[in-house]
């Protein structure tokens, strides 16, 4: 470390902003543009549904776009794994189909959100999901399943929805949508794609000037895995669309890339994040008793199966839907209700897993509408048309995220946050199933429009300092980094899962403090690698979740505190906001 670097304890204890200032001094120098650095108008981080939508809209308006993805664009994102579909009130000649209405979809979204959604945002989104989102996707080449009766589209139902309003392509909707969008992105002459690039940190005016006023985003540092070097990206705006944070926990439905990068990057840049304690678990992922691999991604059995009549059972030969003991909607209740009941019953009866009985859906419908689930179960020795499927819950979705305005804009000029990484106000304390896909498209488009309205075309972004690795050494021994991965994920799974209490959360905080201190020391001493950048991010995000969970001393939807089992509207019908300095406060909804 050079002389300007403070003691390690000060690094850890001080405000993050201080850390950023030091980082800029330590790691960067000014100089002429280098061949591997990038100058562009818009840098998009993440190539899922939100990122691709924004890229296409910006490029269509003539802007230069550079899209950075951590893996391969054509395969690796949570959006690909989206099984169920997109929720939207179906319209025919401009009118909702009989029995459905915007008001009903709004009501059900608010009911799931348990008082923490922004009702104006919910109304706006619901009224724009159809036709704006569904028809925009259709124009991009997505063929939603057609109806066999009357209405042009076949519609599924999922937990918490009282009507069939899920537009889908069998049970591989994400794959079809992403197939269509990625093709367009790849063909577009104004979009440059950079695969295998990991975003490190935003470059902001405040960081450069060591100031604290109104901030603006000037670019981003990205690590190019193939060439093992950091590229400096100078741009007019960064669109952060990195998706979820499932890898913060051991068992997740999420893709391997879901290491909460956007949450962590925005937090380190000083942006506030809301409701990070509300991590949604999915009730039905395939339970494979033969695998010893704990960290494997779990195969998701879409909630539309329960919407079509599948029921949850405690034991294989039960005939009863055990969820009826918890909620009159039975197995079709919202995810927070189902997963909490699952957790209680599994502890009570010492069960390792539960069962999903799909037999009442009928073999023909299973084989036509749920082809992917059927095939997966068959290859794992279960015929879901004839017998129940062993299932368990797994981490699925972050309801919390970076606080954004009505167009995905943040308080930092030139920084937009989209998709799962953003908190728009649509999802409150839990997300109603399939509301997030259309949100990605809607805000992808809105943010692009906002940028076009606020940033006139310009060839050159403001100059930014180039990344310089200084005297950092290559990281040769990977064992420590692997240990940090394991420590963070195990801590979160065991101490900050579905059921939480003060003791466990404080224990989690203690472990994370120590791991994060070591990680931050590592960051200063060694050259960055993908694994290391990711573990730095999951550790930071884990801490945001734990801090927010500690602050919310009540139970609400996805956040269940054994020591505060009641809803406490008087004190906590508010957003938990965690700021750049790590302090948590509450804000009016
Ligand atoms: C599912 O198909 O069950 C997942 C869809 C979602 O998370 O909204």
């Amino acid at each position: 470390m050079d002389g300007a670097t403070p003691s390690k304890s000060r690094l850890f204890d001080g405000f993050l902003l201080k850390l950023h200032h030091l980082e800029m001094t330590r790691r960067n120098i000014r100089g002429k543009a280098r061949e591997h650095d990038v100058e562009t108008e818009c840098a998009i981080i993440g190539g899922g549904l939100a990122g691709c939508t924004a890229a296409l809209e910006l490029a269509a308006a003539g802007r230069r776009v550079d899209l950075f993805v951590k893996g391969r664009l054509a395969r690796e994102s949570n959006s690909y794994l989206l099984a169920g579909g997109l929720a939207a009130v179906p319209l025919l000649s401009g009118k909702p189909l009989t029995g459905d209405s915007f008001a009903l979809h709004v009501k059900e979204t608010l009911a799931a959100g348990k008082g923490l959604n922004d009702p104006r945002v919910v109304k706006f989104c619901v009224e724009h999901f159809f036709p704006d989102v569904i028809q925009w996707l259709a124009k991009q080449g997505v063929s939603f399943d057609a109806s066999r009766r009357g209405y042009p589209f076949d519609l599924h139902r999922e937990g918490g929805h009282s009507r069939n309003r899920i537009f889908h392509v069998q049970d591989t909707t994400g794959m079809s949508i992403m197939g269509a969008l990625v093709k367009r992105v790849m063909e577009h002459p104004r979009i440059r794609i950079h695969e295998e690039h990991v975003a490190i940190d935003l470059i902001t005016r405040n960081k450069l000037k060591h100031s604290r006023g109104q901030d603006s985003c000037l670019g981003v540092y990205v690590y190019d895995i193939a060439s093992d070097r950091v590229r400096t990206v100078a741009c007019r705006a960064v669109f952060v669309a990195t998706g979820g944070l499932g890898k913060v926990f051991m068992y997740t439905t999420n893709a391997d890339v879901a290491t909460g990068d956007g949450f962590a990057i925005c937090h380190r840049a000083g942006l506030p994040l809301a409701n990070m304690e509300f991590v949604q678990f999915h009730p039905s992922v395939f339970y494979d008793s033969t695998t010893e691999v704990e960290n494997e991604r779990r195969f998701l059995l879409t909630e539309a199966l329960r919407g079509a009549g599948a029921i949850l059972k405690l034991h294989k030969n039960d005939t009863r839907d055990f969820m009826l003991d918890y909620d009159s909607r039975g197995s079709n209740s919202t995810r927070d209700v189902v997963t909490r009941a699952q957790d209680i019953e599994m502890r009570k009866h010492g069960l390792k897993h539960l069962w999903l009985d799909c037999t009442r859906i009928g073999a023909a419908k299973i084989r036509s509408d749920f082809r992917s689930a059927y095939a997966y179960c068959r290859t794992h020795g279960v015929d879901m048309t004839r017998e129940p499927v062993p299932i368990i819950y797994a981490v699925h979705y972050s309801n919390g995220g970076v606080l954004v305005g009505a167009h995905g804009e943040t308080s930092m000029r030139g920084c937009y946050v989209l998709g799962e990484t953003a908190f728009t106000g649509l999802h409150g304390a839990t997300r109603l199933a399939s509301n997030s896909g259309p949100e990605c498209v809607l805000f992808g488009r809105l943010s692009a429009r906002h940028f076009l309205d606020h940033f006139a075309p310009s060839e050159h972004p403001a100059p930014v300092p180039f990344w310089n690795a200084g005297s950092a050494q290559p990281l040769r021994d990977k064992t420590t980094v692997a240990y940090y991965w394991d420590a963070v994920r195990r801590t979160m799974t065991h101490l900050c899962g579905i059921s939480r209490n003060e003791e466990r959360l404080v224990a989690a905080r203690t472990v994370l403090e120590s791991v994060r201190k070591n990680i931050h020391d590592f960051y200063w001493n060694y050259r960055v690698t993908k694994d290391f950048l990711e573990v730095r991010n999951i550790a930071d995000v884990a801490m945001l979740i734990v801090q927010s969970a500690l602050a919310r001393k009540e139970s609400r939807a996805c956040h269940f505190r054994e020591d505060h089992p009641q809803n406490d509207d008087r004190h906590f019908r508010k957003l938990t906001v965690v700021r750049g300095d790590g302090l948590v406060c509450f804000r009016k909804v």
Side-chain angles (χ1 to χ4, degrees):
M1 292 216 174
D2 58 35
T5 308
S7 72
K8 289 174 182 175
S9 64
R10 186 170 149 221
L11 266 182
F12 186 66
D13 292 334
F15 288 127
L16 279 167
L17 266 175
K18 273 191 202 154
L19 187 67
H20 289 313
H21 299 163
L22 293 160
E23 176 184 339
M24 298 305 299
T25 337
R26 157 98 163 74
R27 293 211 175 235
N28 303 296
I29 52 166
R30 286 176 190 275
K32 284 197 181 144
R34 300 172 301 188
E35 184 224 319
H36 61 270
D37 294 315
V38 178
E39 274 193 7
T40 186
E41 285 197 270
C42 305
I44 298 185
I45 314 294
L49 191 45
C52 283
T53 303
L56 288 170
E57 292 288 85
L58 290 161
R63 301 306 183 94
R64 270 187 309 147
V65 177
D66 282 72
L67 177 64
F68 298 88
V69 294
K70 215 157 64 165
R72 293 269 158 211
L73 177 61
R75 273 270 159 258
E76 294 158 45
S77 76
N78 273 350
S79 302
Y80 266 97
L81 302 174
L82 196 156
L86 276 64
V89 173
L91 304 183
L92 196 56
S93 313
K95 294 224 168 58
L97 285 196
T98 324
D100 206 353
S101 66
F102 291 137
L104 195 57
H105 190 178
V106 167
K107 187 173 155 210
E108 288 164 10
T109 301
L110 294 176
K114 301 276 189 312
L116 298 190
N117 329 60
D118 181 334
R120 284 162 313 170
V121 174
V122 174
K123 185 167 182 295
F124 175 84
C125 288
V126 162
E127 290 177 358
H128 286 80
F129 284 174
F130 193 101
D132 299 30
V133 168
I134 300 295
Q135 288 191 349
W136 184 83
L137 285 171
K139 261 198 222 141
Q140 309 306 312
V142 179
S143 305
F144 289 103
D145 280 5
S147 169
R148 279 152 278 197
R149 296 171 241 127
Y151 188 64
F153 298 105
D154 182 56
L155 302 168
H156 278 166
R157 186 180 301 199
E158 291 182 0
H161 292 274
S162 67
R163 299 290 184 275
N164 287 25
R165 56 168 86 100
I166 313 296
F167 291 76
H168 66 100
V169 184
Q170 292 170 18
D171 59 346
T172 48
T173 310
M175 219 180 276
S176 301
I177 294 179
M178 291 312 298
L181 295 194
V182 164
K183 181 168 180 295
R184 293 201 159 236
V185 165
M186 284 176 154
E187 286 166 359
H188 208 294
R190 275 187 292 277
I191 303 177
R192 280 193 296 190
I193 300 164
H194 308 268
E195 294 184 320
E196 306 211 314
H197 279 68
V198 191
I200 303 175
D201 272 315
L202 297 177
I203 307 169
T204 78
R205 198 172 292 279
N206 275 355
K207 276 202 228 173
L208 296 181
K209 294 195 162 171
H210 301 197
S211 60
R212 282 176 167 270
Q214 168 65 44
D215 208 357
S216 47
C217 184
L218 307 174
V220 57
Y221 294 115
V222 292
Y223 172 64
D224 176 353
I225 300 169
S227 68
D228 185 27
R229 67 184 169 193
V230 175
R231 304 172 74 185
T232 303
V233 181
C235 56
R236 318 268 329 276
V238 175
F239 294 71
V240 180
T242 53
L245 49 70
K247 296 288 281 188
V248 170
F249 295 81
M250 272 156 64
Y251 307 109
T252 178
T253 60
N254 288 190
D256 278 347
V257 292
T259 49
D261 301 347
F263 302 89
I265 287 167
C266 290
H267 172 66
R268 290 195 294 264
L271 289 170
L273 286 88
N275 284 3
M276 291 302 289
E277 67 276 33
F278 292 107
V279 176
Q280 184 180 71
F281 286 68
H282 195 287
S284 53
V285 296
F286 189 88
Y287 178 83
D288 187 351
S289 57
T290 61
T291 180
E292 292 291 309
V293 188
E294 284 175 337
N295 293 342
E296 214 174 65
R297 183 176 74 74
R298 299 277 169 123
F299 183 85
L300 185 145
L301 292 153
T302 175
E303 193 149 310
L305 285 160
R306 284 180 285 125
I311 58 164
L312 290 159
K313 306 196 309 194
L314 296 183
H315 306 282
K316 190 168 186 181
N317 294 326
D318 289 354
T319 49
R320 202 169 163 273
D321 177 353
F322 88 88
M323 277 306 302
L324 286 167
D325 295 338
Y326 288 86
D327 194 293
S328 59
R329 294 169 296 182
S331 287
N332 207 39
S333 308
T334 49
R335 290 171 193 176
D336 53 318
V337 178
V338 177
T339 50
R340 195 183 306 169
Q342 289 176 310
D343 188 53
I344 292 170
E345 294 293 334
M346 284 170 63
R347 282 168 195 258
K348 191 156 87 191
H349 300 284
L351 302 172
K352 284 199 165 152
H353 67 90
L354 299 166
W355 298 91
L356 182 71
D357 187 342
C358 305
T359 53
R360 53 182 76 187
I361 297 174
K365 189 169 170 68
I366 288 179
R367 288 200 196 99
S368 69
D369 284 20
F370 303 106
R371 242 180 250 184
S372 146
Y374 176 70
Y376 185 90
C377 292
R378 277 313 288 253
T379 57
H380 288 75
V382 181
D383 180 351
M384 64 195 288
T385 63
R386 296 151 55 97
E387 58 190 326
V389 185
I391 51 113
I392 180 86
Y393 49 72
V395 169
H396 185 56
Y397 187 83
S398 171
N399 293 291
V402 182
L403 269 170
V404 296
H407 303 87
E409 76 281 17
T410 65
S411 51
M412 185 189 293
R413 182 177 154 80
C415 175
Y416 296 86
V417 183
L418 316 173
E420 189 170 342
T421 318
F423 179 84
T424 61
L426 171 61
H427 321 297
T430 197
R431 171 181 65 103
L432 187 65
S434 288
N435 267 355
S436 50
E439 182 195 34
C440 285
V441 176
L442 188 58
F443 280 85
R445 300 187 70 198
L446 289 168
S447 61
R449 218 168 297 157
H450 189 276
F451 174 83
L452 298 171
D453 289 346
H454 289 81
F455 292 80
S458 157
E459 273 305 300
H460 296 293
V464 294
F466 299 122
W467 178 274
N468 182 333
S471 56
Q473 299 297 307
L475 178 64
R476 297 197 203 287
D477 180 6
K478 308 223 163 65
T479 318
T480 328
V481 172
Y483 168 76
Y484 294 147
W485 264 94
D486 195 52
V488 172
R489 301 182 76 203
R490 229 168 250 286
T491 301
M492 293 305 282
T493 302
H494 295 303
L495 301 178
C496 191
I498 289 182
S499 291
R500 301 161 176 181
N501 65 30
E502 184 94 8
E503 200 182 326
R504 292 204 283 267
L505 291 172
V506 169
R509 186 176 60 190
T510 309
V511 175
L512 292 173
E513 269 167 3
S514 141
V515 170
R516 285 177 75 229
K517 176 181 177 335
N518 292 339
I519 287 175
H520 284 292
D521 290 348
F522 247 67
Y523 181 69
W524 288 86
N525 290 323
Y526 296 103
R527 290 170 68 98
V528 296
T529 63
K530 171 175 179 279
D531 250 14
F532 176 70
L533 290 170
E534 288 185 332
V535 80
R536 175 181 181 233
N537 288 339
I538 63 164
D540 283 354
V541 173
M543 191 58 132
L544 296 177
I545 297 170
V546 168
Q547 282 166 319
S548 307
L550 269 165
R552 186 174 288 281
K553 297 185 192 311
E554 64 148 1
S555 291
R556 188 182 292 268
C558 300
H559 173 66
F560 179 61
R561 288 278 304 250
E562 290 164 3
D563 46 352
H564 298 282
Q566 306 303 329
N567 243 51
D568 179 356
D569 271 349
R570 201 154 69 87
H571 297 103
F572 294 108
R573 193 171 174 160
K574 293 178 186 145
L575 307 182
T576 329
V577 177
V578 52
R579 298 190 315 244
D581 55 14
L583 297 177
V584 181
C585 61
F586 286 93
R587 185 185 289 184
K588 249 179 93 205
V589 175

